[in-house]
Amino acid sequence: MKCIKCKNEASIYIRRHNSAFCKDHFIEYVFHQTEKAIKQYKMFTQDEKILVAVSGGKDSLALWDILISLGYKADGMYIDLGIGEYSEKSKEKVKKYANKKALKLHIISLKEIYGLGIEEIAKRNKKVPCSTCGVIKRYIMNLTARELGYNAIATGHNLDDEAATLLGNILHWQIDYLEVQEPIHKEEGYFVRKVKPLYRLTEIETSAYCIIKKIDYIIDECPMSHDARSLMYKESLNILENKSPGTKEHFYYGFLEKGIKYIKRQEEKIELKNCQICGEPTTKDICVFCKQMEKAHLNSLDIKNSIERLKSQQ
Ligand code: SF4
Ligand code: ZN
Ligand code: ZN
């Protein structure tokens, strides 16, 4: 098979576009798709500062590399969740990448702050680890980005992730979630803008990108992940994609172009107050993060203090 651009031997075939590329033109394709996503949703500009949430996996490391290659000002943020060997390995991958490229990387470690990992914190909360983890990660990312002066938080969600989430949300008619399934959440008060610049690339493409660019990433999945549903949605979409290439793309892009406008309700002005413990914005007296930490008998302000320390080291 020949590359559609230069007619040299192709390295990768993208079925949904019926296009084959050599390594160089595949990288060009990846850059083009990411740039298209950034421009289409006005995610950020070359002058803005971006904080990339890096986990050590293929998607987030590919995202960081792509943004840097495209000339964006992107620093990394790694949250050490204290999940045994998995966290150790993933942290090493992130540090290795940041060192190799001489990039700025911020690290916040739950074990260092509390002497506990996410599993123990979740146990104290009597919640599943992923729900506790989601609240903590969102809180840390927003606070770090805001305090350190970043304009946007970028995450490595890809087309497979977004299409699977969309399928799950439609199957259960989760209107509240469907409303916010665009690859951008604009900034609002104390909340920093959140973007997903890889929503036009599949997970096979982000892995191929890492392999071609020799980016060493962690292959293992987080051992806490027992989200059988999301896996099932991905598998179902893969069956459809195999039979009819382009299905995932049409499904998600179609929703963004045609569907979401029927779902989005009039934006109601939500009254935000300041959390009585940490001062962060919330609709309740105490924010969900502080509530969770209180239940786990942990001081939520310890995180704020660690971020203050990061700020003073700037
Ligand atoms: Fe956190 Fe769950 Fe993701 Fe693991 S799988 S990083 S516990 S949200
Ligand atoms: Zn080529
Ligand atoms: Zn709070």
Side-chain angles (χ1 to χ4, degrees):
M1 205 175 288
K2 303 280 179 219
C3 168
I4 58 158
K5 294 273 180 164
C6 66
K7 309 293 172 219
N8 285 329
E9 202 53 46
S11 300
I12 183 162
Y13 174 57
I14 298 174
R15 255 184 98 202
R16 70 183 192 288
H17 295 160
N18 192 21
S19 306
F21 295 110
C22 66
K23 286 181 184 168
D24 289 348
H25 284 115
F26 173 67
I27 299 293
E28 191 182 279
Y29 157 83
V30 167
F31 288 169
H32 174 71
Q33 292 298 327
T34 312
E35 200 67 283
K36 196 167 172 182
I38 296 170
K39 295 268 147 54
Q40 188 158 347
Y41 281 91
K42 297 189 175 65
M43 292 182 177
F44 39 75
T45 65
Q46 295 269 351
D47 300 322
E48 290 185 306
K49 273 177 73 187
I50 305 138
L51 187 62
V52 183
V54 269
S55 66
K58 60 184 186 338
D59 301 310
S60 57
L61 283 176
L63 172 61
W64 200 4
D65 193 81
I66 295 166
L67 295 183
I68 291 297
S69 308
L70 290 172
Y72 290 102
K73 294 178 194 145
D75 295 341
M77 167 94 203
Y78 176 81
I79 302 174
D80 184 347
L81 300 162
I83 308 176
E85 206 187 323
Y86 169 76
S87 287
E88 284 311 311
K89 267 203 215 163
S90 54
K91 184 164 63 188
E92 279 323 301
K93 304 277 182 201
V94 175
K95 279 165 87 176
K96 190 171 146 194
Y97 176 78
N99 287 340
K100 193 169 132 193
K101 300 270 175 172
L103 298 172
K104 188 184 275 182
L105 171 67
H106 307 290
I107 300 181
I108 287 272
S109 161
L110 290 185
K111 265 254 158 79
E112 268 174 32
I113 299 174
Y114 295 114
L116 298 173
I118 206 72
E119 202 178 359
E120 293 98 328
I121 301 178
K123 242 183 224 152
R124 288 183 178 206
N125 275 328
K126 300 190 177 50
K127 286 250 171 81
V128 288
C130 292
S131 122
T132 301
C133 185
V135 171
I136 294 180
K137 284 196 294 196
R138 277 194 294 277
Y139 185 86
I140 294 179
M141 284 308 297
N142 188 65
L143 205 54
T144 310
R146 199 188 68 223
E147 290 302 309
L148 273 56
Y150 290 95
N151 303 93
I153 298 166
T155 56
H157 294 87
N158 58 43
L159 179 59
D160 296 78
D161 299 324
E162 292 309 294
T165 307
L166 178 62
L167 181 59
N169 287 339
I170 289 179
L171 289 175
H172 299 95
W173 290 114
Q174 306 259 36
I175 301 294
D176 289 355
Y177 294 148
L178 284 168
E179 276 189 307
V180 291
Q181 251 225 272
E182 272 176 315
I184 181 163
H185 289 190
K186 298 210 174 100
E187 51 270 80
E188 227 189 318
Y190 285 101
F191 294 111
V192 177
R193 189 185 326 150
K194 284 206 216 91
V195 293
K196 298 174 181 175
L198 298 189
Y199 81 87
R200 302 184 64 89
L201 295 167
T202 63
E203 54 189 30
I204 293 177
E205 289 156 23
T206 58
S207 341
Y209 180 87
C210 287
I211 292 165
I212 294 172
K213 294 285 291 277
K214 298 192 171 48
I215 297 169
D216 185 17
Y217 63 88
I218 185 158
I219 295 166
D220 321 347
E221 291 288 330
C222 169
M224 300 286 120
S225 153
H226 301 296
D227 191 358
R229 270 199 193 172
S230 132
L231 222 63
M232 183 174 71
Y233 299 147
K234 278 192 180 174
E235 279 167 12
S236 314
L237 286 166
N238 283 340
I239 294 172
L240 296 172
E241 183 76 25
N242 274 337
K243 295 257 185 222
S244 171
T247 300
K248 274 182 222 173
E249 185 174 296
H250 292 147
F251 180 49
Y252 184 53
Y253 298 177
F255 171 73
L256 294 176
E257 283 156 25
K258 303 171 192 160
I260 198 163
K261 61 175 179 253
Y262 295 106
I263 288 172
K264 257 194 170 170
R265 288 173 284 208
Q266 282 298 322
E267 281 182 30
E268 302 158 25
K269 211 72 205 120
I270 305 166
E271 267 315 306
L272 288 179
K273 323 180 203 180
N274 292 99
C275 168
Q276 288 175 2
I277 297 178
C278 71
E280 289 300 299
T282 172
T283 49
K284 310 266 167 51
D285 292 335
I286 295 176
C287 76
V288 48
F289 170 75
C290 286
K291 247 192 209 141
Q292 196 174 272
M293 298 314 260
E294 231 181 10
K295 210 170 157 200
H297 307 292
L298 297 169
N299 184 357
S300 56
L301 292 179
D302 289 347
I303 295 259
K304 239 184 159 171
N305 294 336
S306 298
I307 293 168
E308 277 302 316
R309 273 196 292 281
L310 281 184
K311 198 177 168 184
S312 63
Q313 289 158 11
Q314 285 280 299

